mmCIF file of all heavy atoms in Angstrom:
data_model
loop_
_atom_site.group_PDB
_atom_site.id
_atom_site.type_symbol
_atom_site.label_atom_id
_atom_site.label_comp_id
_atom_site.label_asym_id
_atom_site.label_seq_id
_atom_site.Cartn_x
_atom_site.Cartn_y
_atom_site.Cartn_z
ATOM 1 N N ASP B 33 7.388 9.476 8.993
ATOM 2 C CA ASP B 33 8.751 9.603 9.479
ATOM 3 C C ASP B 33 9.633 10.210 8.389
ATOM 4 O O ASP B 33 9.469 9.925 7.204
ATOM 5 C CB ASP B 33 9.284 8.221 9.857
ATOM 6 C CG ASP B 33 10.574 8.313 10.643
ATOM 7 O OD1 ASP B 33 10.513 8.715 11.809
ATOM 8 O OD2 ASP B 33 11.642 8.014 10.066
ATOM 9 N N SER B 35 12.810 9.682 7.675
ATOM 10 C CA SER B 35 13.648 8.713 6.961
ATOM 11 C C SER B 35 12.797 7.877 6.009
ATOM 12 O O SER B 35 13.265 7.455 4.946
ATOM 13 C CB SER B 35 14.371 7.806 7.944
ATOM 14 O OG SER B 35 13.515 6.821 8.472
ATOM 15 N N TYR B 36 11.552 7.664 6.393
ATOM 16 C CA TYR B 36 10.659 6.894 5.519
ATOM 17 C C TYR B 36 10.325 7.692 4.264
ATOM 18 O O TYR B 36 10.252 7.129 3.166
ATOM 19 C CB TYR B 36 9.387 6.516 6.281
ATOM 20 C CG TYR B 36 8.504 5.554 5.528
ATOM 21 C CD1 TYR B 36 9.002 4.346 5.076
ATOM 22 C CD2 TYR B 36 7.178 5.865 5.275
ATOM 23 C CE1 TYR B 36 8.202 3.458 4.379
ATOM 24 C CE2 TYR B 36 6.368 4.990 4.584
ATOM 25 C CZ TYR B 36 6.880 3.789 4.145
ATOM 26 O OH TYR B 36 6.082 2.926 3.457
ATOM 27 N N ARG B 39 12.955 7.187 1.805
ATOM 28 C CA ARG B 39 12.865 5.884 1.130
ATOM 29 C C ARG B 39 11.783 5.892 0.066
ATOM 30 O O ARG B 39 11.921 5.263 -0.986
ATOM 31 C CB ARG B 39 12.569 4.788 2.143
ATOM 32 C CG ARG B 39 13.737 4.550 3.069
ATOM 33 C CD ARG B 39 13.467 3.507 4.120
ATOM 34 N NE ARG B 39 14.478 3.658 5.163
ATOM 35 C CZ ARG B 39 14.799 2.716 6.026
ATOM 36 N NH1 ARG B 39 14.168 1.579 6.007
ATOM 37 N NH2 ARG B 39 15.735 2.926 6.918
ATOM 38 N N VAL B 45 10.396 1.702 -1.308
ATOM 39 C CA VAL B 45 9.246 1.078 -0.649
ATOM 40 C C VAL B 45 7.988 1.192 -1.496
ATOM 41 O O VAL B 45 7.874 2.052 -2.361
ATOM 42 C CB VAL B 45 8.994 1.708 0.739
ATOM 43 C CG1 VAL B 45 10.060 1.297 1.719
ATOM 44 C CG2 VAL B 45 8.894 3.213 0.630
ATOM 45 P P DA C 12 6.570 -2.355 1.315
ATOM 46 O OP1 DA C 12 6.018 -2.689 0.001
ATOM 47 O OP2 DA C 12 7.948 -1.861 1.453
ATOM 48 O "O5'" DA C 12 5.580 -1.318 2.030
ATOM 49 C "C5'" DA C 12 4.217 -1.647 2.165
ATOM 50 C "C4'" DA C 12 3.632 -1.045 3.439
ATOM 51 O "O4'" DA C 12 4.169 -1.710 4.595
ATOM 52 C "C3'" DA C 12 3.904 0.431 3.647
ATOM 53 O "O3'" DA C 12 2.779 0.989 4.330
ATOM 54 C "C2'" DA C 12 5.131 0.427 4.562
ATOM 55 C "C1'" DA C 12 4.857 -0.791 5.432
ATOM 56 N N9 DA C 12 6.046 -1.497 5.924
ATOM 57 C C8 DA C 12 7.103 -1.941 5.186
ATOM 58 N N7 DA C 12 7.999 -2.579 5.887
ATOM 59 C C5 DA C 12 7.505 -2.557 7.179
ATOM 60 C C6 DA C 12 7.984 -3.069 8.398
ATOM 61 N N6 DA C 12 9.130 -3.742 8.517
ATOM 62 N N1 DA C 12 7.251 -2.870 9.509
ATOM 63 C C2 DA C 12 6.076 -2.203 9.385
ATOM 64 N N3 DA C 12 5.513 -1.680 8.311
ATOM 65 C C4 DA C 12 6.291 -1.893 7.215
ATOM 66 P P DG C 13 2.681 2.614 4.505
ATOM 67 O OP1 DG C 13 1.293 2.927 4.876
ATOM 68 O OP2 DG C 13 3.268 3.221 3.313
ATOM 69 O "O5'" DG C 13 3.607 2.929 5.776
ATOM 70 C "C5'" DG C 13 3.024 2.876 7.071
ATOM 71 C "C4'" DG C 13 4.088 3.023 8.127
ATOM 72 O "O4'" DG C 13 5.054 1.961 8.005
ATOM 73 C "C3'" DG C 13 4.928 4.310 8.115
ATOM 74 O "O3'" DG C 13 4.619 5.062 9.293
ATOM 75 C "C2'" DG C 13 6.362 3.827 8.082
ATOM 76 C "C1'" DG C 13 6.220 2.423 8.631
ATOM 77 N N9 DG C 13 7.365 1.577 8.333
ATOM 78 C C8 DG C 13 7.968 1.367 7.119
ATOM 79 N N7 DG C 13 9.000 0.560 7.196
ATOM 80 C C5 DG C 13 9.081 0.235 8.533
ATOM 81 C C6 DG C 13 9.995 -0.596 9.221
ATOM 82 O O6 DG C 13 10.957 -1.228 8.770
ATOM 83 N N1 DG C 13 9.717 -0.664 10.592
ATOM 84 C C2 DG C 13 8.686 -0.014 11.213
ATOM 85 N N2 DG C 13 8.569 -0.186 12.540
ATOM 86 N N3 DG C 13 7.816 0.771 10.583
ATOM 87 C C4 DG C 13 8.075 0.843 9.256
ATOM 88 P P DT C 14 5.500 6.283 9.843
ATOM 89 O OP1 DT C 14 4.618 7.245 10.534
ATOM 90 O OP2 DT C 14 6.382 6.711 8.755
ATOM 91 O "O5'" DT C 14 6.347 5.544 10.965
ATOM 92 C "C5'" DT C 14 5.676 4.985 12.092
ATOM 93 C "C4'" DT C 14 6.667 4.649 13.195
ATOM 94 O "O4'" DT C 14 7.620 3.685 12.707
ATOM 95 C "C3'" DT C 14 7.495 5.829 13.720
ATOM 96 O "O3'" DT C 14 7.406 5.822 15.139
ATOM 97 C "C2'" DT C 14 8.912 5.552 13.220
ATOM 98 C "C1'" DT C 14 8.917 4.036 13.125
ATOM 99 N N1 DT C 14 9.850 3.494 12.127
ATOM 100 C C2 DT C 14 10.809 2.598 12.518
ATOM 101 O O2 DT C 14 10.937 2.234 13.676
ATOM 102 N N3 DT C 14 11.624 2.143 11.509
ATOM 103 C C4 DT C 14 11.574 2.493 10.169
ATOM 104 O O4 DT C 14 12.357 2.029 9.359
ATOM 105 C C5 DT C 14 10.538 3.440 9.831
ATOM 106 C C7 DT C 14 10.387 3.890 8.409
ATOM 107 C C6 DT C 14 9.737 3.892 10.811
ATOM 108 P P DC C 15 7.980 7.132 15.976
ATOM 109 O OP1 DC C 15 7.211 7.175 17.229
ATOM 110 O OP2 DC C 15 8.042 8.311 15.097
ATOM 111 O "O5'" DC C 15 9.478 6.697 16.325
ATOM 112 C "C5'" DC C 15 9.685 5.474 17.011
ATOM 113 C "C4'" DC C 15 11.164 5.168 17.119
ATOM 114 O "O4'" DC C 15 11.638 4.595 15.893
ATOM 115 C "C3'" DC C 15 12.070 6.388 17.392
ATOM 116 O "O3'" DC C 15 12.833 6.146 18.563
ATOM 117 C "C2'" DC C 15 12.954 6.479 16.154
ATOM 118 C "C1'" DC C 15 12.962 5.015 15.702
ATOM 119 N N1 DC C 15 13.322 4.847 14.273
ATOM 120 C C2 DC C 15 14.284 3.896 13.921
ATOM 121 O O2 DC C 15 14.805 3.210 14.803
ATOM 122 N N3 DC C 15 14.622 3.761 12.623
ATOM 123 C C4 DC C 15 14.038 4.524 11.695
ATOM 124 N N4 DC C 15 14.409 4.343 10.427
ATOM 125 C C5 DC C 15 13.056 5.495 12.029
ATOM 126 C C6 DC C 15 12.730 5.630 13.323
ATOM 127 P P DC C 16 13.704 7.383 19.176
ATOM 128 O OP1 DC C 16 13.537 7.249 20.632
ATOM 129 O OP2 DC C 16 13.396 8.663 18.501
ATOM 130 O "O5'" DC C 16 15.203 6.973 18.799
ATOM 131 C "C5'" DC C 16 15.772 5.852 19.445
ATOM 132 C "C4'" DC C 16 16.946 5.319 18.664
ATOM 133 O "O4'" DC C 16 16.534 4.912 17.348
ATOM 134 C "C3'" DC C 16 18.048 6.322 18.380
ATOM 135 O "O3'" DC C 16 18.872 6.505 19.520
ATOM 136 C "C2'" DC C 16 18.799 5.616 17.258
ATOM 137 C "C1'" DC C 16 17.697 4.847 16.535
ATOM 138 N N1 DC C 16 17.384 5.402 15.193
ATOM 139 C C2 DC C 16 18.031 4.877 14.074
ATOM 140 O O2 DC C 16 18.845 3.951 14.238
ATOM 141 N N3 DC C 16 17.768 5.382 12.853
ATOM 142 C C4 DC C 16 16.893 6.385 12.722
ATOM 143 N N4 DC C 16 16.657 6.847 11.505
ATOM 144 C C5 DC C 16 16.226 6.942 13.858
ATOM 145 C C6 DC C 16 16.502 6.436 15.066
ATOM 146 P P DG D 5 22.247 0.880 2.567
ATOM 147 O OP1 DG D 5 23.233 -0.021 1.936
ATOM 148 O OP2 DG D 5 20.837 0.833 2.166
ATOM 149 O "O5'" DG D 5 22.312 0.674 4.145
ATOM 150 C "C5'" DG D 5 23.553 0.369 4.771
ATOM 151 C "C4'" DG D 5 23.327 0.263 6.250
ATOM 152 O "O4'" DG D 5 22.727 1.495 6.691
ATOM 153 C "C3'" DG D 5 22.348 -0.837 6.653
ATOM 154 O "O3'" DG D 5 23.098 -1.984 7.076
ATOM 155 C "C2'" DG D 5 21.564 -0.251 7.813
ATOM 156 C "C1'" DG D 5 21.921 1.230 7.822
ATOM 157 N N9 DG D 5 20.762 2.095 7.764
ATOM 158 C C8 DG D 5 20.057 2.480 6.650
ATOM 159 N N7 DG D 5 19.070 3.297 6.927
ATOM 160 C C5 DG D 5 19.129 3.450 8.297
ATOM 161 C C6 DG D 5 18.306 4.205 9.178
ATOM 162 O O6 DG D 5 17.338 4.929 8.892
ATOM 163 N N1 DG D 5 18.713 4.076 10.506
ATOM 164 C C2 DG D 5 19.777 3.306 10.930
ATOM 165 N N2 DG D 5 20.018 3.286 12.236
ATOM 166 N N3 DG D 5 20.549 2.598 10.127
ATOM 167 C C4 DG D 5 20.163 2.721 8.830
ATOM 168 P P DG D 6 22.292 -3.322 7.521
ATOM 169 O OP1 DG D 6 23.289 -4.411 7.559
ATOM 170 O OP2 DG D 6 21.082 -3.445 6.689
ATOM 171 O "O5'" DG D 6 21.821 -3.005 9.021
ATOM 172 C "C5'" DG D 6 22.781 -2.716 10.027
ATOM 173 C "C4'" DG D 6 22.101 -2.718 11.385
ATOM 174 O "O4'" DG D 6 21.245 -1.568 11.487
ATOM 175 C "C3'" DG D 6 21.206 -3.938 11.629
ATOM 176 O "O3'" DG D 6 21.373 -4.384 12.976
ATOM 177 C "C2'" DG D 6 19.805 -3.418 11.362
ATOM 178 C "C1'" DG D 6 19.910 -1.951 11.752
ATOM 179 N N9 DG D 6 19.038 -1.069 10.973
ATOM 180 C C8 DG D 6 18.903 -1.040 9.606
ATOM 181 N N7 DG D 6 18.053 -0.137 9.194
ATOM 182 C C5 DG D 6 17.594 0.464 10.347
ATOM 183 C C6 DG D 6 16.655 1.511 10.527
ATOM 184 O O6 DG D 6 16.022 2.130 9.664
ATOM 185 N N1 DG D 6 16.476 1.823 11.878
ATOM 186 C C2 DG D 6 17.130 1.201 12.917
ATOM 187 N N2 DG D 6 16.825 1.637 14.133
ATOM 188 N N3 DG D 6 18.011 0.222 12.763
ATOM 189 C C4 DG D 6 18.197 -0.091 11.452
ATOM 190 P P DA D 7 20.651 -5.750 13.494
ATOM 191 O OP1 DA D 7 21.556 -6.372 14.491
ATOM 192 O OP2 DA D 7 20.183 -6.516 12.310
ATOM 193 O "O5'" DA D 7 19.351 -5.222 14.270
ATOM 194 C "C5'" DA D 7 19.492 -4.254 15.300
ATOM 195 C "C4'" DA D 7 18.126 -3.898 15.853
ATOM 196 O "O4'" DA D 7 17.496 -2.937 14.973
ATOM 197 C "C3'" DA D 7 17.162 -5.095 15.947
ATOM 198 O "O3'" DA D 7 16.503 -5.065 17.201
ATOM 199 C "C2'" DA D 7 16.203 -4.880 14.789
ATOM 200 C "C1'" DA D 7 16.179 -3.365 14.690
ATOM 201 N N9 DA D 7 15.837 -2.854 13.365
ATOM 202 C C8 DA D 7 16.268 -3.320 12.153
ATOM 203 N N7 DA D 7 15.792 -2.654 11.128
ATOM 204 C C5 DA D 7 14.992 -1.679 11.702
ATOM 205 C C6 DA D 7 14.211 -0.654 11.159
ATOM 206 N N6 DA D 7 14.095 -0.425 9.858
ATOM 207 N N1 DA D 7 13.545 0.140 12.027
ATOM 208 C C2 DA D 7 13.658 -0.088 13.338
ATOM 209 N N3 DA D 7 14.362 -1.019 13.960
ATOM 210 C C4 DA D 7 15.018 -1.787 13.080
ATOM 211 P P DC D 8 15.603 -6.322 17.693
ATOM 212 O OP1 DC D 8 15.893 -6.532 19.122
ATOM 213 O OP2 DC D 8 15.748 -7.420 16.718
ATOM 214 O "O5'" DC D 8 14.107 -5.760 17.583
ATOM 215 C "C5'" DC D 8 13.767 -4.581 18.304
ATOM 216 C "C4'" DC D 8 12.577 -3.899 17.661
ATOM 217 O "O4'" DC D 8 12.879 -3.553 16.311
ATOM 218 C "C3'" DC D 8 11.317 -4.765 17.554
ATOM 219 O "O3'" DC D 8 10.470 -4.475 18.671
ATOM 220 C "C2'" DC D 8 10.675 -4.346 16.236
ATOM 221 C "C1'" DC D 8 11.644 -3.317 15.661
ATOM 222 N N1 DC D 8 11.831 -3.407 14.185
ATOM 223 C C2 DC D 8 11.174 -2.482 13.371
ATOM 224 O O2 DC D 8 10.462 -1.634 13.912
ATOM 225 N N3 DC D 8 11.337 -2.560 12.034
ATOM 226 C C4 DC D 8 12.107 -3.499 11.500
ATOM 227 N N4 DC D 8 12.251 -3.524 10.182
ATOM 228 C C5 DC D 8 12.798 -4.444 12.314
ATOM 229 C C6 DC D 8 12.631 -4.366 13.637
ATOM 230 P P DT D 9 9.146 -5.405 18.959
ATOM 231 O OP1 DT D 9 8.812 -5.297 20.390
ATOM 232 O OP2 DT D 9 9.356 -6.720 18.324
ATOM 233 O "O5'" DT D 9 8.002 -4.654 18.136
ATOM 234 C "C5'" DT D 9 7.633 -3.329 18.500
ATOM 235 C "C4'" DT D 9 6.443 -2.880 17.674
ATOM 236 O "O4'" DT D 9 6.843 -2.763 16.295
ATOM 237 C "C3'" DT D 9 5.246 -3.830 17.704
ATOM 238 O "O3'" DT D 9 4.060 -3.056 17.850
ATOM 239 C "C2'" DT D 9 5.323 -4.544 16.365
ATOM 240 C "C1'" DT D 9 5.957 -3.496 15.472
ATOM 241 N N1 DT D 9 6.750 -4.018 14.332
ATOM 242 C C2 DT D 9 6.635 -3.403 13.103
ATOM 243 O O2 DT D 9 5.895 -2.459 12.887
ATOM 244 N N3 DT D 9 7.415 -3.946 12.121
ATOM 245 C C4 DT D 9 8.288 -5.008 12.235
ATOM 246 O O4 DT D 9 8.937 -5.399 11.270
ATOM 247 C C5 DT D 9 8.368 -5.601 13.554
ATOM 248 C C7 DT D 9 9.276 -6.761 13.769
ATOM 249 C C6 DT D 9 7.610 -5.082 14.525
#
Side-chain angles (χ1 to χ4, degrees):
Chain B
D33 192 72
S35 77
Y36 189 55
R39 291 178 197 200
V45 288

